Amino acid sequence: MLCGMTATPSDLAQRQLDAYNAHDLDAFLACYAEDVLVLGGDEVQGKGHDYLRERYTPQFSAKSCRADLLGRVAEGDWVVDHEHAVGTSRGDFDLLVSYRVRNGVIDRVIFMS
């Protein structure tokens, strides 16, 4: 089942954030398109569920990561979150994350920090 078939883009962004903070990889992946494109600024970091699984499994298994929402703005298919990330492989930091929602799932993520 898709994470957000009846959800607004903001609802879907919140669901994936909740799954991230709960370290629930299956619920987290369900919010994303199978071929989701993940960017760091303009550079492609990875693509698809396999990439997300590889990137987040160590942190989820260690229960070391958390993101606190500092603010959110949404327009059309896009949601931009201002987050404070804790316990990541990069340490603790603030960032902006853009999520584009298409067909009930997040199909593009852009990390800006």
Side-chain angles (χ1 to χ4, degrees):
M1 179 176 168
L2 296 178
C3 180
M5 284 305 289
T6 60
T8 68
S10 291
D11 292 339
L12 188 57
Q14 186 61 48
R15 287 181 192 174
Q16 69 79 39
L17 181 63
D18 291 343
Y20 178 89
N21 286 335
H23 308 114
D24 185 338
L25 188 61
D26 291 333
F28 183 74
L29 291 175
C31 295
Y32 290 89
E34 289 285 335
D35 62 348
V36 61
L37 182 62
V38 181
L39 302 153
D42 292 332
E43 295 183 22
V44 174
Q45 291 183 344
K47 187 173 183 177
H49 279 195
D50 288 342
Y51 169 76
L52 292 177
R53 189 174 287 108
E54 180 180 317
R55 178 175 177 167
Y56 291 104
T57 293
Q59 292 176 48
F60 282 19
S61 295
K63 301 193 184 309
S64 64
C65 59
R66 173 165 184 81
D68 296 316
L69 183 64
L70 303 176
R72 175 175 286 152
V73 64
E75 183 64 42
D77 292 341
W78 286 94
V79 177
V80 179
D81 282 358
H82 180 202
E83 299 178 2
H84 179 71
V86 176
T88 73
S89 59
R90 290 182 46 201
D92 301 352
F93 59 99
D94 289 348
L95 73 154
L96 296 175
V97 186
S98 298
Y99 305 97
R100 184 176 72 183
V101 176
R102 297 266 171 90
N103 299 316
V105 289
I106 298 166
D107 76 336
R108 181 168 296 194
V109 180
I110 305 170
F111 291 100
M112 298 168 277
S113 62

